[in-house]
Amino acid sequence: MSEDDLADGRSPYILQQDDDEMRYAFWADTVADQVEARVADQHPDEDEPEIVIKGGISPSGVPHLGNVNEILRGYFVAAVLRERGHEVRQVFTADDRDPLRKLPRTLCDLDGNLVDLGDVDAGALGRNLGHPYTDIPDPFGCCDSYGDHFSTIIQDSADAVDVPIDMVSTTDLYTDGTFDDVTRHALANRDRAREVLAEYQDKVDEEYIPFNPICEECGKVTETVTDVTLEPEESDLPTVDYRCTDMDAGDRTIDGCGHEGTATIREGKMPWRFEWPGQWGVLGVDFEPFGKDHAEGSWPSGDDVARNVLDIEPPVPMVYEWFTLDGEPFSSSEGNVILVSDVLELLEPEVLRYFFAKDPSRARDFSIERLDQLVDEFDRFEATYFGEVAEATEDEQAFADRVYPLVVEEVREERIRLPYTFAAVLGMTDDPDLREEIARREGHIPDDAPEWAVEQALARVERARNWARRTENEFDYELKRTEIPDHEFDAETEDALAELADFIEAGHDPEEIQGEIYETAKRNDIDTGEFFGAGYRLFFDEEQGPKLGPFLAKVDQEFVVARLRRER
C-alpha cells in the first residue's frame, strides 16, 4: 500500500495507523468518523442520506462463529452512527451465484446440528459441481436451494445476537436487473478491465472478458466467452457468446459440456474481483469490514477496479484480524467449528457481543475450554461500568463507560451475575430451588433482588452446566445432594472426614482446604489417593471428580460439613 493510499484513507488498516490525533476509547468511533467524512463527500446535497454497512460471504461448508465476525464488527459501527442520528442499513451479501467447486465434508442443518456429507442427499451436491449455489437443491430438502439454506443459517445467527441485517442474494441482484448497468459498463470497458486486473492476476490474456455465463445446456458456470454484443437486436440486454469449457477447481477439474450458446447479462455473473466492487455501487455501500486475507490482494484490486473501471467510489474499509478456536483455525473439514447457536447455549449474548467489541486489529483466541475466563472478563467489564471495580485502570473505565451500553440490551444496575464456575457447581444438581437457595446462602443473590434479576442470574447455571458437559471438565459431575451414597468407610477414614469437616466449618479458602485434605490423610495414616476417593464417593458416588478443595469451597458450607459428618 502506497503512502498516497494511506494519506487519502484508502488503506484498510485504519485501526493500525499510528498518528498523533485523539485516540478514542472505542475503535468503532474512529471508523464512524471516516464513514461520516465519506458520506459528506459523496452526498453533499443530501441532508440525511442513508448509510449502508456491508458484509458478505460465499456459501461453503458450515456457517460458523468466525463468519459472523464482520456482522458484529459492522453492528458496532452502525450502533455508533445511529447514536449520532444517522439512518443506517446493515446488509450482508451471500455470493450465491458462485459455482460450487468442491464438496464440503461437513454441513449444518437449520437446528445447528453438524452432519457429515454422507448423512444427507450428497448426490444433490455431487451432481451439481460447477453450478451456482442457488441452482443446487438443498441437500436437507428444507430450503429452496443449497445457497438459500446457507443464507438462512447466517440470518438466524445474526438474529440470535440481535443484529438487524438485510440478507441480499447476489443471484437476485443479477436476475432482477439490479446489476444490469454495472455489468454492461464492465463489458463496455473490457479492455480497461483487462489492463487493471492484469496487475493482480497472471491469468489475464487478450481474450479475457469480465463475465462468466451459465451454460444453458448443463447449468455450469463457464469462463470462456467468445464474443460480446452490447446492443443486440433481439434483446434489450447485452449478450455474450460462450463455449462451456472445463473449470479449474483447486486440485481437480470440473468438466464442461462443450456446448456453444448465447447468454444475457442476467444469465451469468461477473468474476468476484468485479462483482465485489459492483456490489458497492448498486447497494450504495459506505463501509465494509473484512478479514486480513482480503487486505493485501482483494482490497487493492477491488479499490482499483471500482475507481478505474466501474467509476465507483469504494467504501471505507477496515481489516480485522482472524481469531482462532481453542488455538486452531476454524475448519469445517477438520471439525474445528462452533456455531453461534452452540455458543449461546454456553454464555449470554451480551458476553459474545463483548468479545467482538474488543480491538479488531488484534488476533484473539475464542477458547471453549477457558470460556470461564471470558465470562469473568465480561463480568469485570460490566462491574467496571457500574463503578464497582475500585482498581480499574483509566483505560478499563473509559472502555466500559463507552461500550457497555452498546453490548447489553438494557442497562440495569440491579443485574446479578453468578460467577461462572460457581454456576457450574450449581449445575451439578437438577433442583432449581436448591440452586437458588445455595446462591442466596453464599451471598450471590441479595434478599431484595428483583425477580427478573434472580431469573437472569440463575439462567447462567444451565449455560455453565452445558459448558461443563461439552468440555468434560471438573464440573461435569452430578452432585448427590438428596441422599448420602451407600458407601462404608473404616474408622480411620471416618475420623479423618470428621476432622476435615471441622476445618471447613472454621472457614478457609479453596487452596487451604485442598492442602488440609493432604494433611488430614497424613495425620490419620491414610493413603492420599484413597482419602480423595472417599470424598468423591461421598459427594458424587464416583471414584474420581473435580479438584476437591476448590469444589468443597464453592458448595454451601452447611451441606459440605453435614455430608462429611455423614449427617445428610
Side-chain angles (χ1 to χ4, degrees):
M1 199 67 65
S2 70
E3 291 183 3
D4 288 340
D5 287 337
L6 292 174
D8 68 13
R10 287 164 57 186
S11 168
Y13 292 99
I14 60 176
L15 299 179
Q16 291 89 338
Q17 295 172 27
D18 189 15
D19 54 42
D20 296 328
E21 296 181 7
M22 180 186 70
R23 287 291 183 182
Y24 286 111
F26 188 32
W27 56 268
D29 286 305
T30 301
V31 178
D33 284 353
Q34 295 210 13
V35 174
E36 284 186 320
R38 181 194 187 279
V39 171
D41 180 66
Q42 293 297 302
H43 307 280
D45 299 325
E46 296 184 43
D47 290 336
E48 293 294 337
E50 181 182 61
I51 295 176
V52 178
I53 292 174
K54 186 182 106 58
I57 191 172
S58 180
S60 177
V62 175
H64 50 68
L65 179 65
N67 297 136
V68 303
N69 207 336
E70 59 200 67
I71 291 178
L72 280 159
R73 302 301 187 189
Y75 160 76
F76 284 114
V77 176
V80 169
L81 290 166
R82 290 181 181 121
E83 279 185 338
R84 299 181 184 185
H86 298 286
E87 289 291 327
V88 183
R89 179 190 181 207
Q90 188 171 352
V91 302
F92 200 79
T93 55
D95 297 332
D96 49 19
R97 209 162 224 201
D98 289 357
L100 174 65
R101 294 179 180 271
K102 66 177 182 179
L103 296 179
R105 290 170 53 181
T106 307
L107 296 170
C108 176
D109 66 21
L110 295 186
D111 293 325
N113 301 307
L114 299 182
V115 300
D116 292 332
L117 185 61
D119 295 331
V120 296
D121 182 9
L125 300 181
R127 291 188 298 271
N128 287 282
L129 285 171
H131 292 237
Y133 287 106
T134 43
D135 289 346
I136 300 173
D138 178 12
F140 292 92
C142 58
C143 297
D144 291 339
S145 67
Y146 177 44
D148 182 55
H149 183 98
F150 192 96
S151 296
T152 299
I153 298 174
I154 291 290
Q155 181 70 64
D156 289 347
S157 298
D159 292 344
V161 290
D162 200 26
V163 176
I165 63 169
D166 293 338
M167 283 297 301
V168 175
S169 164
T170 301
T171 294
D172 290 346
L173 296 180
Y174 285 105
T175 59
D176 68 13
T178 302
F179 256 147
D180 283 357
D181 289 344
V182 172
T183 310
R184 180 184 286 109
H185 186 90
L187 291 176
N189 294 274
R190 53 192 179 276
D191 291 341
R192 180 61 179 148
R194 289 190 201 105
E195 293 175 12
V196 171
L197 192 60
E199 296 292 321
Y200 306 95
Q201 284 188 340
D202 295 332
K203 294 171 56 178
V204 178
D205 56 27
E206 294 181 357
E207 298 179 350
Y208 178 84
I209 303 294
F211 190 77
N212 302 146
I214 299 170
C215 177
E216 62 185 347
E217 185 70 21
C218 69
K220 295 176 184 175
V221 175
T222 182
E223 299 173 350
T224 303
V225 174
T226 57
D227 195 17
V228 175
T229 305
L230 293 175
E231 297 181 1
E233 295 180 0
E234 67 280 3
S235 173
D236 294 332
L237 298 171
T239 62
V240 298
D241 295 338
Y242 65 86
R243 183 171 65 257
C244 185
T245 56
D246 297 347
M247 177 192 300
D248 290 333
D251 57 356
R252 64 171 297 166
T253 299
I254 299 174
D255 295 334
C257 71
H259 175 74
E260 296 184 3
T262 300
T264 73
I265 55 174
R266 295 186 184 180
E267 298 169 332
K269 68 182 299 294
M270 290 181 287
W272 188 76
R273 288 182 187 263
F274 291 87
E275 187 175 86
W276 188 29
Q279 291 171 344
W280 299 338
V282 299
L283 297 174
V285 179
D286 297 295
F287 167 63
E288 179 161 6
F290 44 81
K292 65 178 183 179
D293 56 332
H294 288 319
E296 299 302 328
S298 303
W299 167 254
S301 72
D303 180 278
D304 203 349
V305 167
R307 295 178 188 276
N308 298 309
V309 179
L310 302 180
D311 294 331
I312 292 169
E313 178 66 24
V316 172
M318 186 196 81
V319 62
Y320 55 77
E321 282 282 348
W322 293 113
F323 64 95
T324 52
L325 179 63
D326 283 316
E328 298 293 333
F330 280 85
S331 172
S332 299
S333 61
E334 298 298 326
N336 195 49
V337 295
I338 188 168
L339 278 65
V340 171
S341 57
D342 293 333
V343 172
L344 295 180
E345 291 180 354
L346 310 178
L347 47 71
E348 297 90 348
E350 54 266 34
V351 181
L352 183 58
R353 287 195 289 268
Y354 163 74
F355 177 81
F356 284 102
K358 296 194 283 187
D359 186 355
S361 65
R362 292 183 56 191
R364 301 183 189 279
D365 182 52
F366 190 88
S367 174
I368 304 301
E369 296 289 336
R370 302 188 304 277
L371 203 61
D372 56 315
Q373 296 179 15
L374 174 61
V375 179
D376 289 348
E377 188 181 310
F378 169 81
D379 289 351
R380 177 185 171 91
F381 161 76
E382 183 175 59
T384 299
Y385 175 81
F386 289 111
E388 299 166 359
V389 181
E391 70 277 14
T393 67
E394 184 177 341
D395 286 347
E396 273 187 295
Q397 191 67 57
F399 183 73
D401 290 346
R402 178 68 188 96
V403 177
Y404 180 73
L406 302 177
V407 166
V408 295
E409 184 175 343
E410 182 180 354
V411 175
R412 297 198 282 190
E413 190 168 3
E414 301 89 349
R415 92 285 171 222
I416 300 170
R417 302 289 184 183
L418 299 181
Y420 196 65
T421 52
F422 176 76
V425 170
L426 295 185
M428 293 179 179
T429 176
D430 290 326
D431 188 338
D433 293 332
L434 185 58
R435 292 175 178 178
E436 182 175 345
E437 176 190 333
I438 296 171
R440 287 185 182 276
R441 186 183 300 137
E442 293 299 303
H444 293 296
I445 299 179
D447 292 338
D448 60 350
E451 188 60 33
W452 66 263
V454 176
E455 290 179 4
Q456 181 191 70
L458 293 173
R460 178 173 280 186
V461 175
E462 279 303 313
R463 291 186 168 101
R465 185 184 200 181
N466 292 337
W467 168 65
R469 290 176 173 175
R470 183 183 180 99
T471 59
E472 298 181 338
N473 63 21
E474 68 263 35
F475 304 103
D476 186 25
Y477 293 92
E478 180 185 352
L479 177 62
K480 303 300 181 182
R481 183 95 190 194
T482 56
E483 59 183 29
I484 303 174
D486 186 17
H487 292 285
E488 295 295 329
F489 301 109
D490 58 32
E492 290 80 4
T493 302
E494 291 276 8
D495 291 342
L497 290 171
E499 286 182 26
L500 182 60
D502 293 341
F503 183 85
I504 292 175
E505 189 174 39
H508 292 278
D509 66 31
E511 291 308 316
E512 288 174 336
I513 295 174
Q514 182 75 3
E516 181 62 19
I517 296 173
Y518 285 97
E519 294 302 320
T520 302
K522 290 178 183 178
R523 284 196 304 270
N524 290 273
D525 294 324
I526 301 172
D527 178 80
T528 303
E530 286 295 326
F531 192 49
F532 273 96
Y536 294 134
R537 290 192 293 275
L538 200 55
F539 286 93
F540 303 109
D541 199 17
E542 300 275 359
E543 294 300 320
Q544 59 184 8
K547 190 175 181 181
L548 197 55
F551 165 75
L552 296 178
K554 287 186 173 74
V555 181
D556 54 309
Q557 186 187 94
E558 181 182 337
F559 167 74
V560 170
V561 171
R563 177 58 59 87
L564 290 171
R565 291 171 177 164
R566 310 293 296 280
E567 295 172 355
R568 67 167 183 162

